[in-house]
Amino acid sequence: MQSRLPPRVTRLFRLSLGTATSASEDVDEEIRFHLAARTEQLIRQGIDPAQARAEAARRFGSLAEARVRLRRSAQSREQRLRARELFEALGRDVRIAWRGLVHAPGFVALAVLCLALGIGANAAIYSVIDAVLLRPLPFEDPARLVRIWPDGATPPGIYEIFRGQSRAYRGVAGSTDGHKVSVTGSTAPARYIASEVTSNFFDVLGVHPVRGSAFAEGDNEPGRSNLVLLSSAMWRDRFGANANVVGSTILVDGIARTVVGVMPPGFHFPRADVQLWMPASFVHSSPSYWWGTPLHLVARLARGTTLAQARAESHAALVRARASFPMRMPDEWGKNADVVTLRESVVGGARPTLLLLFAAVGLVLLLACVNVATLYIERASVREREIAIRTALGAGRARIVAQLLTESLIIAGLGAAAGLALAVGGVRVLVAMLPAGTPRAEEIAVDGHVLAFTLLLAAMSGIAFGILPALRATRLDVHTSLRRDGRAGAAPGATSASRTLAVCQVALAVVIVTAAGLLLKSFWRLHQVDLGFDTQHVIAAAIPIPSFDRDTTTRAPAFYDALVARARTLPGVHVAAAASALPFGASAYPAAMEVEAHPTPVGGVPALPIRVSVTPDYFLALAIPLLRGRGFTSADRAGTPPVAIIDATAAKKLWPGENAIGQKIRYVWNYDWITVVGIVGDVKRDSLSGSAEPSLYLPMDQSVAEEMSIVIRTASDAELIRIGPALRSAVAAIDPAVPVSEVRSLEGFVANSAARMRFATTLLALFAAVALLLGATGIYGLMTSAVSRRTREIGVRMALGATSRGVMRMMLGESAAVTSVGVLLGIGGALASARLLRGLLFGVSALDTGVLAAVAALLAVVAVVSALAPAKRASRVDPLRAIRAE
C-alpha cells in the first residue's frame, strides 16, 4: 500500500504555503487517516476487513466528539502559527524600515518634528476636552440630574411652593451662586467662597461627605441653620486634615457654626471655587423669604420622565406657585421654566470655545500630515528604483504597501512620543491660561484617556500620510523605473502629487490664519470699547464687614470711613474710596423698586436698577463724570433724608423725557422715598460687549453693604506694588480679625471679563503661526524639489540665452500659482467654517474682507520668502555643468 504523510504534516505545509483549507476538512481527513491505519493493523492480525473497520471505529470512540475536539485543536494551532508568521513578518518589516530610516536622519527629524507639533497640540487640547466635556459628572446617576431655570428669580418662598407641587422630579434642591465669607478663629483670618443650600441639596446630587454627615431635613429653619460643611481642600489646608474637625466650631462672618462634615475631594458645586456650604435660613416672616437672594434649582428626574415632560410639569407648577405668591409679581416672572441637563448647564458655556480650538488643532495636524506626505512622496521618488527592483524580484503589492506603511507608522510613533512630551508641558500652560471659572479645570491631566487618544491619533496619522505614497508605489511601471537613472529626478506623477499637496497646505493654513485674524481683530475692537471709567493706576481689594458683636449697621460705616481715611495717607495715593460693587469685580444685584412719578401698575414690572453703595470720592477715584446735579458729601449720613445718584441710562429709562434730579424712588417693600440728587455717566459692569445697565448709587453711610471694596488711585503703576502690604497693615491696625482679599489692579478685573476670548485668540494665534511655518516648509520643499528635478532644463534654458532673473521669475511664478490656488480654496474653506466663530466675535463680521485680504497678502509674502532661496539656487545653475551631466 502506498504510504503518505500524516494530515497534520500536510496541513503545516499548506499553512506555510498559504493554501486555503478549512479546519473541518483537515479534521475529517485526519480521522479517516487514523481509522484507515487502525483498520490495516487489525487486518494484518487476521481479522476480517468488515469486522476490522467496525472494531477500529469502536476503539476510536465517538466520531462527533472527536471531530469537535480535533477541530478546536486544529483551529488553535493554525491561529498560533498565523499569529507567529504575522509577528515575524512585522518584525522583518520593522527592522528593514528602521535600517532605511537610520540612513535618512534629516527626513526623519523633519517628519517627526511636524508630527510632534500636530499630535502634541491635539493631545493637549483633548486633555482639556476630556476633563471638561466628556467625563461624567462626579454625582450619582448624573444623567438624571437637571437644572431648572424659571423666568425671573426663585426666592425661598417660590422654591418651597414649587418643590411641593412638582411631580416630575424625585427631588428638587436649591443653592445660592456663592459669596465671600470671612473665616476667623485660632488661625489667620481668610476669605472663602460659600454657598447657602437647601437641606436636601446633597441628597438630590447623590454626594455624601467623606467625614461626618450632610444637612438634615429642617436645617433651613431659624435656630437650626448654624451648621457648615467644609471642602476637602479647606479641611486639608486650613485645618491640617484634623480628624476631629467634625463637631468643632468655626466663626463664619462672626457667627459660630458647627462643622458637620467634610465633602469628598474634587467636589465643587455650584461653583468651582466653593469651599463652604451652609444651610440657607428660611425666615417665613421676613421679606427676604419672597424677595431675597434667589436660589438656583437643581433636580433629579423621576424614573421614566423626559426633559420635555419635566418642562411641561415645571411650567404648570410655576403657574400654581405664582398664584400662591402673597405679594405683587411682575407679569413675566414665573410664567415658564427651561429644564436642561446638569452637564449642559455646567460645561455648556465652555463647549463652543473648546470645540473651536479642537477643530483648529485638528487642521494643524492635518496640515502636518500633508507636509509629511509631501516628504514621503519625494522620498518615494528617490526610492523608485529600489521599489522596482523589489517588485521585479517577486515582492507583491501587499508586501510593498505593508513595508511602506510600517515605515510611516514608525515615523508616526516617534512623532507621538515627542508630541506626548510636548503635551505634558502644554497642559500645564493650558491650565494656567484657562479663564477663571472653567468647570472641572482641576481634573485636567495627561492620563490614560489622553494616552489612548494619542496612540489612536498616531496610527491614523501614520496611515493618512503613508497611504498615498504606498499606493503610488504599487502602480509603478517596473521597466520604466528600472530604465530611469538616478539623475532623472522625480517622476511626473510625483511632481503633480507634490504640487497638489502644497496647494492643500496653503489652503489649510489660510483657514487657520483667517480664524486667528478674525479673533485678533475682534479682541482689539473689544478693548477699544468705552468703559465709562478709567482703569489706569487704580487698585482694589475687597474688605468684609467687621464681625462686631452688636450695632453692626452703626459701626460698619465708621470702620470703612476710618479705613478710607488711612488709605488716603499712604504714599503715592491720590484718591481713596469704597464701594459695595466694582465694575467687572464684585457682583452687583438689581433691586426691585418703584418710581413715585410713575407708580408701577398691579402686575407690572418694577424698576430693577443695579444698586451700589459708595463713599463720596468713588466717582473721582474711577473718573466717572458727573453729568448733572451734585455728588455725595459727608453730610449724606444716617438719619438724614436718603439720597441717590443715578446713571444716564437709569435717568432715560425711569424718567423718559423728564428731569430726573429731584425725583423719588423706593424699594417695593415700602422703605422711605429716596431723592435723586445727581446723574453720572454710564459704566460697563460685567461685559465689554454688553450694554450699560441702569445703576443706582447710594451713600454708604445710608446703605450698609455686606462687603465693601477699597478703591485707590495712585500716581503711577510703580506704586501699585507697594500699596498691597501697606493696605493690609492699615486694615490690621483698625481690626486685625478682618481679612483682606487679593489686592488687584482694576485693569486686571476688566481683563478677566475677556478671558475666554483671550484664551481662544492666543491659542488660535499660536496654531496659526505653526500653520504658517508648516505651509512655508511645504512651499520650500516643493520649490527645492522642482529645482532639483529641472536642473537640466534650467541649464539648457540658460545655455540658450535665458537670464538668471528670468529663471528666478519662472520659479517664483510656479510658487505664486500654487499659492494662489491654495489661497482661493482656503478662503472658501474659511467662509464655510466662519459660523463656528460667530459666538466669539465682537464688532467684526465673520466675512470681514479686510481680514481675508490681509491673510491673502500674508500668505503671498510667506510664499515668496519660502521660494526665494530655491529660486536663487536655480538662477545660479552652471549651464555647461548641467549639459555635461547629460
Side-chain angles (χ1 to χ4, degrees), residues 274-334:
V274 171
Q275 300 275 35
L276 293 165
W277 294 268
M278 303 177 295
S281 182
F282 293 168
V283 182
H284 296 74
S285 60
S286 170
S288 64
Y289 184 70
W290 300 107
W291 290 104
T293 302
L295 298 174
H296 299 294
L297 304 185
V298 61
R300 182 173 292 276
L301 291 174
R303 294 287 180 184
T305 302
T306 65
L307 282 177
Q309 292 171 335
R311 290 189 185 100
E313 198 273 357
S314 298
H315 170 72
L318 276 172
V319 170
R320 293 192 296 268
R322 175 186 171 87
S324 304
F325 197 72
M327 303 175 70
R328 188 180 68 205
M329 290 188 69
D331 282 342
E332 73 273 16
W333 280 17

Coordinates of all heavy atoms in Angstrom, one line a residue, residues 274-334:
V274 N -16.1 77.0 45.3 CA -16.8 77.0 46.6 C -16.0 76.1 47.6 O -15.6 75.0 47.2 CB -18.2 76.4 46.4 CG1 -18.9 76.1 47.7 CG2 -19.1 77.3 45.6
Q275 N -15.9 76.6 48.8 CA -15.2 75.9 49.8 C -16.0 75.6 51.1 O -15.6 74.8 51.9 CB -13.9 76.7 50.3 CG -12.9 77.0 49.2 CD -11.9 75.9 49.0 OE1 -12.3 74.7 49.1 NE2 -10.7 76.2 48.6
L276 N -17.2 76.2 51.2 CA -18.0 76.1 52.3 C -19.5 75.9 51.8 O -19.9 76.6 50.9 CB -17.9 77.3 53.3 CG -16.6 77.5 54.0 CD1 -16.6 78.9 54.6 CD2 -16.4 76.5 55.1
W277 N -20.2 75.1 52.6 CA -21.7 75.0 52.3 C -22.4 75.2 53.6 O -22.1 74.6 54.6 CB -22.0 73.7 51.7 CG -21.5 73.5 50.3 CD1 -22.1 73.7 49.1 CD2 -20.2 72.9 50.0 NE1 -21.2 73.4 48.1 CE2 -20.0 72.9 48.6 CE3 -19.1 72.5 50.8 CZ2 -18.9 72.5 48.0 CZ3 -18.0 72.0 50.2 CH2 -17.9 72.0 48.7
M278 N -23.4 76.1 53.6 CA -24.2 76.4 54.8 C -25.7 76.2 54.5 O -26.1 76.5 53.3 CB -23.9 77.8 55.3 CG -22.4 78.0 55.6 SD -22.0 79.7 56.1 CE -22.5 80.6 54.7
P279 N -26.5 75.8 55.4 CA -28.0 75.8 55.2 C -28.5 77.2 55.0 O -28.2 78.1 55.7 CB -28.5 75.1 56.4 CG -27.4 74.5 57.1 CD -26.2 75.3 56.8
A280 N -29.3 77.4 53.9 CA -30.0 78.7 53.8 C -31.0 78.8 54.8 O -31.7 77.8 55.2 CB -30.6 78.7 52.4
S281 N -31.1 80.0 55.4 CA -32.1 80.2 56.5 C -33.4 80.7 55.9 O -33.4 81.8 55.3 CB -31.5 81.2 57.5 OG -32.4 81.4 58.6
F282 N -34.5 80.0 56.1 CA -35.8 80.3 55.6 C -36.6 81.0 56.7 O -37.2 80.3 57.6 CB -36.5 79.1 55.1 CG -35.9 78.5 53.8 CD1 -36.3 77.3 53.3 CD2 -34.9 79.2 53.1 CE1 -35.7 76.8 52.2 CE2 -34.3 78.7 52.0 CZ -34.7 77.5 51.5
V283 N -36.6 82.3 56.8 CA -37.5 83.0 57.8 C -38.7 83.4 57.0 O -38.8 84.4 56.3 CB -36.7 84.2 58.3 CG1 -37.5 84.9 59.4 CG2 -35.3 83.8 58.9
H284 N -39.8 82.7 57.3 CA -41.1 82.9 56.5 C -41.7 84.3 56.7 O -42.4 84.8 55.9 CB -42.1 81.8 56.9 CG -41.6 80.4 56.5 ND1 -40.7 79.8 57.2 CD2 -42.0 79.6 55.5 CE1 -40.5 78.6 56.7 NE2 -41.3 78.5 55.6
S285 N -41.4 84.9 57.9 CA -42.0 86.2 58.1 C -41.2 87.4 57.6 O -41.6 88.5 57.6 CB -42.1 86.4 59.7 OG -40.9 86.3 60.3
S286 N -40.0 87.1 57.0 CA -39.1 88.1 56.5 C -39.4 88.4 55.0 O -39.7 87.5 54.3 CB -37.7 87.7 56.7 OG -36.8 88.6 56.0
P287 N -39.3 89.7 54.6 CA -39.5 90.0 53.2 C -38.5 89.2 52.3 O -38.8 88.9 51.1 CB -39.3 91.5 53.1 CG -39.6 92.0 54.4 CD -39.1 90.9 55.4
S288 N -37.3 88.8 52.8 CA -36.3 88.1 52.1 C -36.8 86.7 51.7 O -36.3 86.1 50.7 CB -35.0 88.0 52.8 OG -35.2 87.2 54.0
Y289 N -37.8 86.2 52.4 CA -38.3 84.9 52.0 C -39.0 84.9 50.7 O -39.0 84.0 49.9 CB -39.4 84.5 53.1 CG -39.9 83.1 52.9 CD1 -39.1 82.0 53.1 CD2 -41.3 82.9 52.5 CE1 -39.6 80.7 52.9 CE2 -41.8 81.6 52.3 CZ -41.0 80.5 52.5 OH -41.5 79.3 52.3
W290 N -39.5 86.1 50.3 CA -40.2 86.3 49.0 C -39.3 87.1 48.0 O -39.5 87.0 46.8 CB -41.5 86.9 49.2 CG -42.4 86.1 50.1 CD1 -42.8 86.4 51.3 CD2 -43.1 84.9 49.7 NE1 -43.6 85.4 51.8 CE2 -43.8 84.5 50.9 CE3 -43.1 84.1 48.6 CZ2 -44.6 83.3 50.9 CZ3 -43.8 82.9 48.6 CH2 -44.5 82.5 49.8
W291 N -38.5 88.0 48.5 CA -37.7 88.8 47.6 C -36.2 88.7 47.9 O -35.4 89.5 47.4 CB -38.1 90.3 47.8 CG -39.5 90.6 47.3 CD1 -40.6 90.8 48.1 CD2 -39.9 90.8 46.0 NE1 -41.7 91.1 47.3 CE2 -41.3 91.0 46.0 CE3 -39.2 90.7 44.8 CZ2 -42.0 91.2 44.8 CZ3 -40.0 90.9 43.6 CH2 -41.4 91.2 43.7
G292 N -35.8 87.7 48.6 CA -34.3 87.6 49.0 C -33.5 87.1 47.8 O -33.9 87.0 46.7
T293 N -32.3 86.7 48.2 CA -31.3 86.1 47.3 C -31.9 84.9 46.6 O -32.3 84.0 47.2 CB -30.0 85.7 48.0 OG1 -29.5 86.9 48.7 CG2 -29.0 85.2 47.0
P294 N -31.9 84.9 45.2 CA -32.5 83.8 44.5 C -31.7 82.5 44.6 O -30.5 82.5 44.8 CB -32.5 84.3 43.1 CG -31.4 85.3 43.0 CD -31.4 86.0 44.3
L295 N -32.5 81.4 44.6 CA -31.9 80.1 44.6 C -31.8 79.6 43.2 O -32.7 79.8 42.3 CB -32.7 79.2 45.4 CG -32.8 79.5 46.9 CD1 -33.8 78.5 47.6 CD2 -31.5 79.4 47.6
H296 N -30.7 78.9 42.9 CA -30.5 78.2 41.6 C -31.0 76.7 41.8 O -30.5 76.0 42.8 CB -29.1 78.2 41.1 CG -28.6 79.6 40.9 ND1 -29.0 80.4 39.9 CD2 -27.6 80.3 41.5 CE1 -28.4 81.5 39.9 NE2 -27.5 81.5 40.9
L297 N -31.9 76.3 41.0 CA -32.6 75.0 41.3 C -31.9 73.8 40.5 O -31.6 74.0 39.3 CB -34.0 75.0 40.9 CG -34.9 76.1 41.5 CD1 -36.4 76.0 41.1 CD2 -34.8 76.1 43.0
V298 N -31.7 72.7 41.2 CA -31.2 71.5 40.6 C -32.1 70.4 41.1 O -32.6 70.4 42.2 CB -29.7 71.2 41.1 CG1 -29.6 71.0 42.6 CG2 -29.2 70.0 40.4
A299 N -32.4 69.5 40.2 CA -33.4 68.4 40.5 C -32.9 67.1 39.9 O -32.1 67.0 38.9 CB -34.7 68.8 39.9
R300 N -33.5 66.0 40.4 CA -33.3 64.7 39.9 C -34.6 64.2 39.3 O -35.6 64.1 39.9 CB -32.8 63.7 41.0 CG -32.5 62.3 40.5 CD -31.9 61.5 41.6 NE -30.5 62.0 41.9 CZ -29.4 61.7 41.3 NH1 -29.5 60.8 40.2 NH2 -28.2 62.1 41.7
L301 N -34.5 63.9 38.0 CA -35.7 63.4 37.3 C -36.2 62.1 37.9 O -35.4 61.2 38.2 CB -35.4 63.2 35.8 CG -35.2 64.5 34.9 CD1 -34.8 64.1 33.5 CD2 -36.4 65.4 34.9
A302 N -37.5 62.0 37.9 CA -38.1 60.7 38.3 C -37.9 59.7 37.2 O -37.7 60.1 36.0 CB -39.6 60.9 38.6
R303 N -38.0 58.4 37.5 CA -37.8 57.4 36.5 C -38.8 57.5 35.4 O -40.0 57.7 35.7 CB -37.9 56.0 37.2 CG -36.8 55.7 38.2 CD -35.5 55.4 37.5 NE -34.4 55.1 38.5 CZ -33.2 54.9 38.2 NH1 -32.8 55.0 36.9 NH2 -32.3 54.6 39.1
G304 N -38.4 57.4 34.2 CA -39.3 57.5 33.1 C -39.7 58.9 32.6 O -40.4 59.0 31.7
T305 N -39.2 59.9 33.3 CA -39.6 61.3 32.9 C -38.6 61.8 31.9 O -37.3 61.8 32.2 CB -39.6 62.2 34.2 OG1 -40.5 61.6 35.1 CG2 -40.0 63.6 33.8
T306 N -39.1 62.4 30.9 CA -38.2 63.0 29.9 C -38.1 64.5 30.1 O -38.8 65.1 31.0 CB -38.8 62.8 28.5 OG1 -40.0 63.5 28.4 CG2 -39.0 61.4 28.2
L307 N -37.1 65.2 29.5 CA -36.9 66.6 29.6 C -38.2 67.4 29.2 O -38.6 68.3 29.8 CB -35.7 67.1 28.8 CG -34.3 66.8 29.4 CD1 -33.2 67.3 28.5 CD2 -34.2 67.5 30.8
A308 N -38.8 66.9 28.1 CA -40.0 67.6 27.6 C -41.1 67.5 28.7 O -41.8 68.5 28.9 CB -40.4 67.0 26.3
Q309 N -41.3 66.4 29.3 CA -42.3 66.2 30.3 C -42.0 67.1 31.5 O -42.9 67.7 32.1 CB -42.4 64.7 30.7 CG -43.0 63.8 29.6 CD -42.9 62.4 30.0 OE1 -42.0 62.0 30.8 NE2 -43.8 61.5 29.4
A310 N -40.7 67.1 31.9 CA -40.3 67.9 33.0 C -40.5 69.4 32.8 O -41.0 70.1 33.7 CB -38.8 67.7 33.3
R311 N -40.3 69.9 31.5 CA -40.5 71.3 31.2 C -42.0 71.6 31.3 O -42.4 72.6 31.9 CB -40.1 71.6 29.8 CG -38.6 71.6 29.6 CD -38.2 72.1 28.3 NE -36.7 72.0 28.1 CZ -36.1 71.1 27.4 NH1 -36.9 70.2 26.8 NH2 -34.8 71.0 27.3
A312 N -42.9 70.7 30.8 CA -44.3 70.9 30.9 C -44.8 70.9 32.3 O -45.6 71.8 32.7 CB -45.0 69.9 30.1
E313 N -44.3 70.0 33.1 CA -44.7 69.9 34.5 C -44.2 71.1 35.3 O -44.9 71.7 36.2 CB -44.2 68.6 35.1 CG -44.9 68.2 36.4 CD -44.3 68.8 37.6 OE1 -43.3 69.5 37.5 OE2 -44.8 68.5 38.7
S314 N -43.0 71.6 35.0 CA -42.4 72.7 35.7 C -43.2 74.0 35.4 O -43.5 74.8 36.3 CB -41.0 72.9 35.3 OG -40.2 71.8 35.7
H315 N -43.7 74.1 34.1 CA -44.5 75.3 33.8 C -45.8 75.3 34.6 O -46.1 76.4 35.1 CB -44.8 75.2 32.3 CG -45.8 76.2 31.8 ND1 -45.5 77.6 31.7 CD2 -47.1 76.1 31.5 CE1 -46.6 78.2 31.3 NE2 -47.6 77.3 31.2
A316 N -46.4 74.2 34.7 CA -47.7 74.1 35.4 C -47.5 74.4 36.9 O -48.2 75.1 37.5 CB -48.4 72.8 35.2
A317 N -46.4 73.9 37.5 CA -46.1 74.1 38.9 C -45.8 75.5 39.2 O -46.2 76.1 40.2 CB -44.9 73.2 39.3
L318 N -45.1 76.2 38.2 CA -44.8 77.6 38.4 C -46.0 78.5 38.4 O -46.1 79.4 39.1 CB -43.7 78.0 37.4 CG -42.3 77.8 37.7 CD1 -41.4 78.1 36.5 CD2 -41.8 78.5 38.9
V319 N -46.9 78.1 37.5 CA -48.2 78.9 37.4 C -48.9 78.8 38.8 O -49.5 79.8 39.3 CB -49.1 78.4 36.3 CG1 -50.5 79.0 36.3 CG2 -48.4 78.7 34.9
R320 N -49.0 77.6 39.3 CA -49.6 77.4 40.6 C -48.9 78.1 41.7 O -49.5 78.8 42.6 CB -49.7 75.9 41.0 CG -50.7 75.1 40.1 CD -51.0 73.8 40.6 NE -49.8 72.9 40.7 CZ -49.4 72.1 39.7 NH1 -50.1 72.0 38.6 NH2 -48.3 71.4 39.8
A321 N -47.5 78.1 41.6 CA -46.7 78.8 42.7 C -46.9 80.3 42.6 O -47.0 81.0 43.6 CB -45.2 78.5 42.5
R322 N -47.0 80.8 41.3 CA -47.3 82.3 41.1 C -48.6 82.7 41.7 O -48.7 83.8 42.3 CB -47.2 82.6 39.6 CG -47.6 84.0 39.3 CD -47.6 84.1 37.7 NE -48.2 85.4 37.4 CZ -47.4 86.5 37.2 NH1 -46.1 86.5 37.4 NH2 -48.0 87.7 36.9
A323 N -49.6 81.8 41.6 CA -50.9 82.2 42.1 C -50.9 82.2 43.6 O -51.7 82.9 44.3 CB -52.0 81.1 41.6
S324 N -50.0 81.4 44.2 CA -49.9 81.4 45.7 C -49.0 82.5 46.3 O -48.9 82.6 47.5 CB -49.3 80.0 46.2 OG -50.1 79.0 45.6
F325 N -48.3 83.2 45.4 CA -47.4 84.3 45.9 C -48.2 85.4 46.6 O -49.1 85.9 46.0 CB -46.6 84.8 44.7 CG -45.4 85.6 45.0 CD1 -44.2 84.9 45.5 CD2 -45.3 87.0 44.9 CE1 -43.1 85.6 45.8 CE2 -44.1 87.7 45.3 CZ -43.0 86.9 45.7
P326 N -47.8 85.7 47.8 CA -48.6 86.7 48.6 C -48.4 88.1 48.2 O -49.0 89.0 48.8 CB -48.2 86.4 50.0 CG -46.7 86.0 49.9 CD -46.7 85.2 48.6
M327 N -47.4 88.4 47.3 CA -47.1 89.8 47.0 C -47.2 90.0 45.5 O -47.3 89.1 44.7 CB -45.7 90.2 47.5 CG -45.5 89.9 49.0 SD -43.7 90.2 49.5 CE -43.7 92.0 49.3
R328 N -47.2 91.3 45.1 CA -47.3 91.6 43.7 C -46.1 91.1 42.9 O -45.0 91.3 43.3 CB -47.5 93.1 43.5 CG -47.8 93.5 42.1 CD -47.9 95.1 42.0 NE -46.6 95.7 42.3 CZ -46.4 96.9 42.7 NH1 -47.4 97.6 43.1 NH2 -45.2 97.4 42.9
M329 N -46.3 90.5 41.8 CA -45.2 90.0 40.9 C -45.3 90.6 39.6 O -46.4 90.9 39.1 CB -45.4 88.4 40.8 CG -45.1 87.6 42.1 SD -45.0 85.9 41.7 CE -43.5 85.8 40.7
P330 N -44.1 90.8 38.9 CA -44.2 91.2 37.5 C -44.8 90.2 36.6 O -44.8 89.0 36.9 CB -42.7 91.3 37.2 CG -42.0 91.4 38.5 CD -42.8 90.7 39.5
D331 N -45.4 90.7 35.5 CA -46.2 89.8 34.7 C -45.3 88.6 34.1 O -45.8 87.5 34.0 CB -46.8 90.6 33.5 CG -48.0 91.4 33.9 OD1 -48.6 91.0 35.0 OD2 -48.4 92.4 33.2
E332 N -44.1 88.9 33.8 CA -43.3 87.9 33.1 C -42.6 86.9 34.1 O -42.0 85.9 33.7 CB -42.3 88.5 32.1 CG -41.1 89.1 32.9 CD -41.3 90.5 33.3 OE1 -42.5 90.9 33.3 OE2 -40.3 91.2 33.6
W333 N -42.7 87.2 35.4 CA -42.0 86.3 36.3 C -42.8 85.0 36.5 O -44.0 85.0 36.8 CB -41.8 87.0 37.7 CG -40.7 88.0 37.6 CD1 -40.0 88.5 36.6 CD2 -40.0 88.6 38.8 NE1 -39.1 89.4 36.9 CE2 -39.0 89.4 38.3 CE3 -40.2 88.5 40.1 CZ2 -38.2 90.2 39.1 CZ3 -39.4 89.2 41.0 CH2 -38.4 90.1 40.5
G334 N -42.0 83.9 36.5 CA -42.6 82.6 36.9 C -43.7 82.1 35.9 O -44.5 81.2 36.3

